[in-house]
Amino acid sequence: MPVVTVQMFEGRTLDQKRKLVRAITDAMIEHAQARPDGLHVVLQEIPKENWGRAGVLGSDRTDP
């Protein structure tokens, strides 16, 4: 039972998430011989204010 966890900033549409889960599932089937009925994909959306990099909150960053 593989579990793939993706942590990312909030803001993607439901359609984007559907496509991402499909693409990850397809990749795991092709490259890791995972069975789709046993594969879990977990999307963890993190608000930018709860994520820091190099000592700066994501909500305070000006770079992409």
Side-chain angles (χ1 to χ4, degrees):
M1 170 182 106
V3 177
V4 177
T5 303
V6 178
Q7 294 180 322
M8 60 187 180
F9 287 142
E10 295 177 307
R12 273 72 173 192
T13 66
L14 187 56
D15 190 53
Q16 287 173 313
K17 291 184 237 182
R18 282 186 184 110
K19 289 176 181 175
L20 178 60
V21 168
R22 176 81 272 163
I24 290 168
T25 300
D26 291 345
M28 288 294 292
I29 291 168
E30 180 179 351
H31 300 290
Q33 291 73 48
R35 292 181 34 208
D37 59 334
L39 176 66
H40 297 259
V41 178
V42 179
L43 303 179
Q44 295 179 330
E45 293 187 287
I46 312 296
K48 287 185 177 185
E49 64 198 35
N50 292 340
W51 192 303
R53 181 169 56 105
V56 180
L57 287 176
S59 57
D60 296 335
R61 298 192 72 87
T62 56
D63 57 331

